[in-house]
Amino acid sequence: QSVLTQPPSASGTPGQRVTISCSGNTSNIGSNTVHWHQHLPGTAPKLLIHSNNQRPSGVPDRFSGSKSGTSASLAISGLQSEDEAVYYCATWEESLNGPVFGGGTRLTVL
Amino acid sequence: QVTLRESGPALVKPTQTLTLTCTFSGFSLTTSGMCVTWIRQPPGKALEWLARVDWDGDTYYTTSLKTRLAISTDTSENQVVLTMTNMDPADTATYYCARIRYASGLAMDYWGQGTLVTVPS
């Protein structure tokens, strides 16, 4: 059981826009910024978005993030086959002094 | 170029102690705002934060495993070591180390590929 709630799966066709949601509470998302990671099996997870909506260098602008209250979203526009992966949201939990995660959303490009 | 790599045994017997090493390059853990953390993911389950060590030597542990975990650093070797005592089959998981930077909003901006540790029943 993960602390943050994500839908287990999402899908779209090439070129489409998909969004993935992440829900928490006032002690995690409500109090801290949200980050998004992309994970392909057997590889190191990759940071896509930090601080709600900031893209690290090298991340395409097809990826965008937003946060409102105790929820956050990752949007992927112009969907490509290489976007097939598991996407995790993460944020800080004050009481833990460490990060908490969503359960992950498996994105399928049809 | 920032890299992190986990190493350690693939198989640990119940009640034994697990020792994992995270060897990193491309940054210094003594730089203000830098942290290294350990995270695990049991098969089919969610990511779980375990421990972190900060640039100033402060350490933090997840509450549920605090009595079993110890994190330490060897700054000269650019390594962070995690030990977990009294291993149980429920500890079977892929263990990751990652860098956290305060400047990135406490995001884990680089991860290792992970190492699978199996504890047989």
Side-chain angles (χ1 to χ4, degrees):
Chain A
Q1 188 80 0
S2 53
V3 174
L4 307 178
T5 301
Q6 296 180 239
S9 63
S11 64
T13 56
Q16 266 191 333
R17 182 178 188 270
V18 297
T19 60
I20 298 171
S21 62
C22 175
S23 175
N25 59 37
T26 53
S27 67
N28 43 60
I29 292 180
S31 304
N32 296 284
T33 59
V34 177
H35 321 298
W36 291 91
H37 302 269
Q38 179 190 59
H39 192 201
L40 295 161
T43 68
K46 176 184 175 184
L47 179 66
L48 283 181
I49 298 287
H50 71 85
S51 307
N52 300 331
N53 54 20
Q54 301 299 302
R55 280 186 308 276
S57 174
V59 174
D61 59 6
R62 303 187 296 107
F63 295 91
S64 61
S66 63
K67 171 191 153 180
S68 178
T70 58
S71 295
S73 291
L74 172 72
I76 309 171
S77 60
L79 201 59
Q80 301 179 3
S81 58
E82 56 260 39
D83 297 333
E84 272 206 350
V86 179
Y87 293 84
Y88 294 96
C89 59
T91 188
W92 208 252
E93 178 76 55
E94 298 292 346
S95 61
L96 202 59
N97 245 322
V100 290
F101 301 92
T105 299
R106 182 173 300 276
L107 175 64
T108 302
V109 180
L110 302 170
Chain B
Q1 181 189 1
V2 173
T3 65
L4 300 100
R5 186 183 76 250
E6 306 88 351
S7 58
L11 192 68
V12 177
K13 294 180 180 177
T15 75
Q16 285 187 336
T17 294
L18 170 68
T19 300
L20 294 173
T21 300
C22 175
T23 303
F24 59 87
S25 64
F27 69 98
S28 172
L29 190 47
T30 60
T31 300
S32 179
M34 292 289 183
C35 318
V36 171
T37 192
W38 284 94
I39 293 154
R40 71 178 180 179
Q41 185 172 35
K45 296 188 177 180
L47 293 162
E48 177 185 23
W49 174 69
L50 299 176
R52 91 171 203 259
V53 57
D54 289 1
W55 75 96
D56 57 4
D58 283 351
T59 58
Y60 303 86
Y61 300 95
T62 191
T63 306
S64 60
L65 295 170
K66 188 172 185 175
T67 59
R68 297 175 54 204
L69 294 173
I71 190 169
S72 60
T73 61
D74 183 339
T75 52
S76 63
E77 296 291 331
N78 280 354
Q79 292 181 330
V80 173
V81 176
L82 181 76
T83 60
M84 181 181 292
T85 60
N86 195 23
M87 292 292 284
D88 181 88
D91 297 314
T92 293
T94 297
Y95 288 75
Y96 298 93
C97 64
R99 184 181 82 165
I100 291 177
R101 281 204 311 151
Y102 276 70
S104 298
L106 293 168
M108 289 138 291
D109 60 352
Y110 288 93
W111 297 62
Q113 285 195 318
T115 186
L116 176 63
V117 177
T118 300
V119 186
S121 53

